[in-house]
Amino acid sequence: MSNERTPLITSGVCGLSVAAVACGTVSDPSPESGSEMPSTDPRKLNTFFGVMVPTILSMFSIVLFLRTGFVVGHAGLLQGLLMVIVAYTIISLTILSICAISTNGAIQGGGAYYMISRSLGPEFGGSIGLMFFLAKVFACGEYVLGLVEAILDVFGSDPESAVSKGVRVLPQGYWYTVLYSTVILLLCLLVCLVGAHIYSRTAFVIFLVVTVSLLSIFISFVAVKPHNIIITHPGSGNQTLRYNTSYTGFSATTLRNNLGSGYSLDYSTNSVMTFATVFAVMFTSCTGIMAGANMSGELKTPSVSIPKGTIVAVFYTFTVYVVLFILVSATCERTLLIQDYGFFQKINIWSPFVTVGIYCASLSAAMCAMIGASRILHALALDHLFGLPLAPAAITSSSGNPWVAVLYTWGLAQCVVFAGHLNAVAGLVTVFYLLAYAAVDLACLALEWASAPNFRPTFQLFSWHTCLLGIVSCLVMMFVINPVYSSGSIVLLLLLLLFLHYRSPTSSWGYISQALIFHQVRKYLLMLDVRKDHVKFWRPQVLLMVANPRSSCQLILFVNQLKKGGLYVLGHVQLGDLDALPSDPVQQQYNFWLSLVDKLGVKAFVDLTLSPSVRQGTQHLLRITGLGGMKPNTLILGFYDGCTPEDFFLQDAAFCDSSIGKSSENEYNFGVDVPSLQAHFPPVRHVESPRWLSPEEYVGIISDAIKMNKNVCLGRYFFQLEGEGKDSNVDGSERTIDVWPLNLLQPDSRDYEDVCSLFLLQMACVLNMSSKWRHARMRIFLNVETESGDQSWVVNEETFRELLKKLRIRASIKIVPWDSVVQHHTKPSEEHSTEPTQVLSEDFLSAVNSTLMEHSSQAAVRFLYLPRPPAHHSLAPQYLAQLEAVTSGLGPTLLIHGVTPVTYTDL
């Protein structure tokens, strides 16, 4: 099985090598690097310490102690409970998706990013991973600001007094808030630099402290007697605002007054609150559900611990929030709730219980967010998704701690604290988290819809309905909270997607897009019924037989223009007998041929076969290539002559040695680099080299195709055609397409409307519609005997013009006097009159060739009528000699024999 941590080989901007940056210091989890890894196993945490404790602490951070009154006071009990239910419904749907993905295979470090990237591929996974990293960074800053707010509530100087009293010694103000936040962030940085194991050891102690604080709050509702409370806030100028309120204890009147909403001014931001702004603050308590998933690299059994620990933690926190909201609504006046976010300290049996709980919960949540963010960034750096900018984040200490990623996180979190107030960044944090949750639901939905047999999660309590509902819920709530932030985050996500798509990262992770495409293509192929085919929707579906791509690249590029959105298959027959071989040699060649297709930039499939003869192998490909309604209707072959082929690999810079470094740096080659591609395809044939194909077998292939009702084209001199490459800017304005619709080897032929002639016109018209031939001029040549005295050719010309008009073909008609050619033609005797291949004199063939050279020597490509091959194989050399003589020295020429009707004049 491929290593899930296979580094990405990228292209585009920022695709510089990171090997030098992280040499010897990157933590590489691959088995091959086991000797360089620390001997100690970093996976030490169980379900309780690794998932439940971090998740509960993250969800019991600032909202529990500092924003419970804010939510209930502004929204009221009913809307507050509605917010809790909506928020927990959204995260519950996401948790089902997390549990499904996490129980479907081994999870490495990176948590949510790892789940998304390994499910949706590097482009979507990388962009969402970076968004989730930013969400964690903003959350870290938010928790720090909340902690500073709690510290100033106890130790901040009294706004009514110019002299510090007691413990209230800390000066207050915007820049002081930033200063205190910086100091706390430095403390978090020091702890995180030591490592996650230090945090995990102290987390349980913090959990106990928070639990004691929470118990003291519940006890205080019963033990503390009603009393009045005076609240002061600094007002505009030097004014001080005073509020007289009270803690009433359990009171039906208080509960009734607090049932409805009472949105008013928020004293910390001086803005009027709404349902959306309050929900944004409240939802930050639900952003900790992935705290355990983000520790996946440190968990003993992440596929067991993540679902079990997350579900228990969410159920526990939901119960606590609902009970706390009800108790607060029944005991505290609305003014107390709105004007004092730290009111729990004033109604507690011993205020230090709450103070210590707030400090521990906020500090723990900040460190958890910093550790989680650094792990996500480290995983991004290990996957080389963003190239050089994130390369240092892959560096780890000897114990495996990604200390550079921690520094990245700390620096960005420092920028966040310049917001100055917790409520100012709550909306952005919530939007980022909702977007990440929607991505997790999307990953699970895509896996479910793809119906991949290997998607067998042990957790079964989910369906595509829950995933889809989770996505819709997240997106709706994003725009309810803040349309501007939501739109901006989605735009940022799209830009990151485009960036990663431009860099074209490729990996061995597997792509959910491939599974979904397969699922849809199979469905639509079943709907593509060959019995419903109609001539007006006909398009060429080509099987191009290629002996050696070195000499056929120009023909491959030309046919790519000729296919008009139809099926295009490169076919190749390898001579051999499977009975005499230990394994099928064809299977190992597909990567080389597919790399050739990538190099040439053509939209083609590849089909290879093993056969004792080329003719038999071509029959196999004509029968089995394609699927359902997508099967080749046209066979194209290179011309059979004695010319020495040219090596295209020596002419194109993409195949030259000078481009080897560029290719290895800028594009993923699936194990096939330029040297191996050149080595795989043999050198071109020399004049003395033996041929794999006899004239009889070649003509037999043409006959077989016609018998199988396939159109046949023979391409000659296409090595002379230029401007067909993917980097060419040719638009055809300087090109000419010449069409000779009559059978030149039968001068008495006058039928312009037979199937073969109309097919030839259609193919020329199709070429004229392609991008590199769109502005080319098309000329159609009519051969007439002007000196015979029979003026029927004038009528035929007018009839032909009417035909072109009906077929909507724009072309100029050229009349070619044919008398000088016909005089060299001898009519066949009665006994040979039925033979399709007549004995034609060299003078006649030379005259035909001279006429073609005279009128079409400057054309970019010529379309000629291909006569039907002889029935007897002994006439094959004569047939080929005639074709060779007629087309000698012409330049790029396509001889065409059509057997299927392809034109339609009605609507």
Side-chain angles (χ1 to χ4, degrees):
M1 181 178 177
S2 299
N3 183 11
E4 289 291 321
R5 278 294 187 194
T6 301
L8 300 180
I9 300 179
T10 56
S11 64
V13 294
C14 297
L16 301 176
S17 174
V18 296
V21 178
C23 181
T25 55
V26 176
S27 175
D28 183 5
S30 62
E32 291 80 9
S33 61
S35 60
E36 300 177 12
M37 292 286 291
S39 58
T40 58
D41 184 7
R43 295 182 176 273
K44 300 177 180 178
L45 304 180
N46 58 18
T47 301
F48 182 77
F49 289 101
V51 181
M52 285 183 60
V53 171
T55 303
I56 291 173
L57 288 179
S58 295
M59 300 181 76
F60 274 176
S61 56
I62 54 176
V63 173
L64 178 70
F65 293 105
L66 294 179
R67 289 299 183 270
T68 298
F70 168 82
V71 174
V72 176
H74 286 287
L77 176 61
L78 297 181
Q79 289 192 21
L81 291 177
L82 176 63
M83 290 179 184
V84 173
I85 293 172
V86 170
Y88 273 80
T89 299
I90 292 174
I91 65 171
S92 297
L93 294 171
T94 305
I95 287 170
L96 297 180
S97 300
I98 294 173
C99 294
I101 297 175
S102 63
T103 59
N104 191 54
I107 300 178
Q108 305 298 327
Y113 159 70
Y114 189 89
M115 297 180 191
I116 298 170
S117 63
R118 268 50 177 184
S119 300
L120 299 184
E123 288 98 340
F124 207 95
S127 54
I128 285 292
L130 192 60
M131 297 290 287
F132 194 53
F133 164 73
L134 293 176
K136 283 285 182 185
V137 169
F138 275 89
C140 179
E142 181 187 36
Y143 298 145
V144 170
L145 288 172
L147 177 56
V148 171
E149 181 182 308
I151 292 174
L152 292 178
D153 193 47
V154 176
F155 300 102
S157 58
D158 192 342
E160 288 189 315
S161 175
V163 180
S164 300
K165 298 180 181 179
V167 296
R168 305 183 69 89
V169 295
L170 296 178
Q172 300 193 50
Y174 170 78
W175 288 109
Y176 283 110
T177 300
V178 173
L179 175 62
Y180 304 148
S181 301
T182 302
V183 173
I184 294 172
L185 271 176
L186 284 173
L187 176 62
C188 294
L189 173 65
L190 292 176
V191 174
C192 294
L193 286 177
V194 174
H197 63 284
I198 297 296
Y199 166 74
S200 63
R201 290 171 184 170
T202 58
F204 181 63
V205 177
I206 296 174
F207 175 73
L208 292 178
V209 172
V210 171
T211 302
V212 171
S213 300
L214 189 59
L215 288 174
S216 73
I217 291 174
F218 285 127
I219 294 172
S220 298
F221 286 119
V222 179
V224 175
K225 297 180 180 179
H227 60 276
N228 295 326
I229 299 173
I230 299 176
I231 304 171
T232 59
H233 292 307
S236 58
N238 293 323
Q239 295 181 347
T240 300
L241 303 177
R242 298 173 59 88
Y243 298 93
N244 293 317
T245 183
S246 63
Y247 167 75
T248 64
F250 288 101
S251 168
T253 302
T254 303
L255 179 62
R256 188 166 51 250
N257 292 337
N258 286 332
L259 285 178
S261 61
Y263 297 107
S264 59
L265 195 71
D266 172 28
Y267 71 83
S268 66
T269 59
N270 290 323
S271 57
V272 178
M273 295 292 99
T274 62
F275 180 91
T277 55
V278 173
F279 181 82
V281 174
M282 186 270 150
F283 193 83
T284 56
S285 66
C286 302
T287 56
I289 61 171
M290 291 188 181
N294 292 332
M295 302 291 288
S296 58
E298 283 84 15
L299 296 174
K300 289 181 181 177
T301 54
S303 59
V304 175
S305 299
I306 291 176
K308 184 188 298 184
T310 304
I311 291 174
V312 173
V314 167
F315 180 77
Y316 173 70
T317 56
F318 174 77
T319 304
V320 170
Y321 274 116
V322 170
V323 172
L324 195 59
F325 275 27
I326 295 173
L327 293 177
V328 168
S329 301
T331 58
C332 301
E333 289 186 351
R334 188 182 296 272
T335 304
L336 173 62
L337 301 179
I338 292 177
Q339 299 300 331
D340 189 356
Y341 297 153
F343 74 99
F344 278 138
Q345 299 176 60
K346 295 180 173 62
I347 65 171
N348 200 269
I349 52 176
W350 190 48
S351 59
F353 274 137
V354 178
T355 303
V356 173
I358 293 174
Y359 295 169
C360 289
S362 301
L363 190 61
S364 170
M367 287 190 293
C368 184
M370 183 175 286
I371 290 173
S374 65
R375 275 15 179 210
I376 295 172
L377 189 66
H378 178 63
L380 284 166
L382 284 179
D383 289 336
H384 300 173
L385 284 176
F386 292 93
L388 191 60
L390 295 188
I395 300 174
T396 61
S397 64
S398 57
S399 61
N401 185 34
W403 61 273
V404 177
V406 173
L407 290 176
Y408 270 67
T409 306
W410 167 78
L412 292 174
Q414 180 62 56
C415 297
V416 175
V417 300
F418 281 97
H421 295 287
L422 182 155
N423 290 2
V425 295
L428 193 58
V429 172
T430 301
V431 165
F432 276 162
Y433 270 105
L434 283 171
L435 190 60
Y437 293 166
V440 174
D441 290 322
L442 178 63
C444 190
L445 177 67
L447 289 169
E448 179 70 8
W449 274 355
S451 302
N454 280 323
F455 183 59
R456 299 189 299 271
T458 56
F459 182 86
Q460 294 292 322
L461 300 178
F462 79 101
S463 70
W464 68 267
H465 304 86
T466 61
C467 301
L468 187 60
L469 184 59
I471 295 171
V472 173
S473 302
C474 290
L475 294 178
V476 168
M477 289 312 303
M478 279 173 59
F479 283 92
V480 168
I481 291 169
N482 195 310
V484 176
Y485 287 166
S486 301
S487 302
S489 63
I490 292 175
V491 169
L492 178 59
L493 175 64
L494 293 176
L495 290 176
L496 290 171
L497 276 170
L498 290 175
F499 171 78
L500 290 176
H501 181 72
Y502 173 73
R503 295 189 71 238
S504 301
T506 309
S507 72
S508 60
W509 304 342
Y511 294 82
I512 190 63
S513 59
Q514 294 296 302
L516 292 172
I517 289 170
F518 176 87
H519 189 73
Q520 292 301 107
V521 167
R522 181 191 62 84
K523 181 172 71 175
Y524 286 116
L525 275 175
L526 290 171
M527 296 169 62
L528 191 61
D529 193 342
V530 294
R531 297 168 295 181
K532 298 178 182 178
D533 282 347
H534 195 279
V535 64
K536 65 182 177 182
F537 299 118
W538 181 91
R539 67 180 71 234
Q541 305 204 87
V542 179
L543 171 63
L544 172 62
M545 296 302 299
V546 180
N548 189 345
R550 287 179 176 272
S551 57
S552 308
C553 286
Q554 290 290 12
L555 182 58
I556 294 172
L557 293 169
F558 174 76
V559 176
N560 188 56
Q561 295 290 316
L562 192 64
K563 69 180 187 303
K564 186 54 183 173
L567 178 69
Y568 182 20
V569 181
L570 300 182
H572 175 73
V573 179
Q574 179 167 335
L575 298 179
D577 186 359
L578 193 58
D579 289 338
L581 297 170
S583 62
D584 185 4
V586 168
Q587 299 302 320
Q588 304 168 5
Q589 298 184 27
Y590 271 96
N591 264 7
F592 294 97
W593 283 85
L594 292 173
S595 296
L596 173 74
V597 168
D598 293 338
K599 282 285 185 185
L600 295 176
V602 297
K603 298 178 180 178
F605 298 94
V606 172
D607 213 347
L608 312 177
T609 188
L610 182 71
S611 178
S613 70
V614 176
R615 181 178 180 181
Q616 186 177 342
T618 304
Q619 289 180 10
H620 294 165
L621 293 177
L622 282 171
R623 293 184 188 280
I624 66 175
T625 295
L627 199 61
M630 293 189 68
K631 296 185 76 68
N633 55 31
T634 303
L635 173 68
I636 299 183
L637 304 170
F639 196 78
Y640 191 96
D641 57 17
C643 295
T644 303
E646 294 193 16
D647 193 338
F648 182 81
F649 283 13
L650 301 179
Q651 302 173 13
D652 194 317
F655 296 94
C656 295
D657 292 339
S658 59
S659 66
I660 292 175
K662 180 180 178 182
S663 298
S664 62
E665 178 182 284
N666 288 348
E667 64 182 75
Y668 187 71
N669 50 33
F670 295 93
V672 180
D673 54 10
V674 174
S676 60
L677 189 67
Q678 290 178 333
H680 175 74
F681 296 111
V684 295
R685 174 180 53 82
H686 297 289
V687 179
E688 299 83 7
S689 302
R691 309 194 66 158
W692 293 353
L693 198 63
S694 66
E696 291 79 10
E697 191 175 9
Y698 180 82
V699 176
I701 292 173
I702 300 174
S703 300
D704 294 341
I706 294 175
K707 290 176 184 177
M708 297 168 72
N709 203 36
K710 307 292 184 184
N711 311 295
V712 179
C713 303
L714 307 181
R716 189 178 191 192
Y717 293 126
F718 275 92
F719 63 86
Q720 299 177 8
L721 186 63
E722 298 179 353
E724 293 298 293
K726 60 182 178 180
D727 298 326
S728 172
N729 296 321
V730 173
D731 62 356
S733 57
E734 303 296 327
R735 290 176 162 182
T736 304
I737 303 171
D738 283 359
V739 183
W740 298 76
L742 290 181
N743 187 349
L744 300 180
L745 299 186
Q746 292 183 356
D748 54 345
S749 172
R750 292 290 181 269
D751 189 2
Y752 293 99
E753 297 189 34
D754 73 334
V755 172
C756 188
S757 295
L758 292 177
F759 182 84
L760 191 144
L761 289 171
Q762 181 79 339
M763 293 297 282
C765 187
V766 167
L767 179 64
N768 203 189
M769 297 168 69
S770 64
S771 60
K772 297 186 183 301
W773 296 85
R774 185 171 298 141
H775 301 292
R777 293 179 298 116
M778 191 191 305
R779 302 187 300 178
I780 300 176
F781 293 88
L782 301 183
N783 316 326
V784 299
E785 297 180 41
T786 57
E787 300 175 2
S788 64
D790 183 5
Q791 296 299 312
S792 62
W793 65 270
V794 178
V795 178
N796 289 341
E797 180 189 355
E798 290 302 320
T799 304
F800 189 72
R801 289 185 186 275
E802 287 297 319
L803 176 64
L804 293 183
K805 187 175 181 180
K806 288 182 180 179
L807 296 176
R808 289 90 60 202
I809 296 177
R810 297 179 181 179
S812 60
I813 298 176
K814 304 293 182 181
I815 303 299
V816 179
W818 202 238
D819 305 271
S820 60
V821 178
V822 173
Q823 67 183 6
H824 297 290
H825 182 256
T826 56
K827 292 190 177 181
S829 60
E830 293 295 329
E831 59 197 38
H832 297 294
S833 61
T834 58
E835 283 291 336
T837 303
Q838 308 165 12
V839 179
L840 301 175
S841 66
E842 291 186 7
D843 291 339
F844 173 73
L845 296 174
S846 178
V848 173
N849 178 256
S850 298
T851 303
L852 291 172
M853 291 290 290
E854 179 184 350
H855 292 89
S856 291
S857 60
Q858 301 301 317
V861 67
R862 300 142 198 85
F863 286 72
L864 304 185
Y865 190 112
L866 176 66
R868 181 180 287 270
H872 199 277
H873 66 85
S874 62
L875 298 176
Q878 176 186 321
Y879 174 75
L880 289 178
Q882 293 175 2
L883 297 180
E884 184 174 2
V886 168
T887 58
S888 177
L890 275 183
T893 303
L894 201 66
L895 296 121
I896 300 175
H897 187 92
V899 296
T900 56
V902 294
T903 56
Y904 195 71
T905 57
D906 294 338
L907 184 62

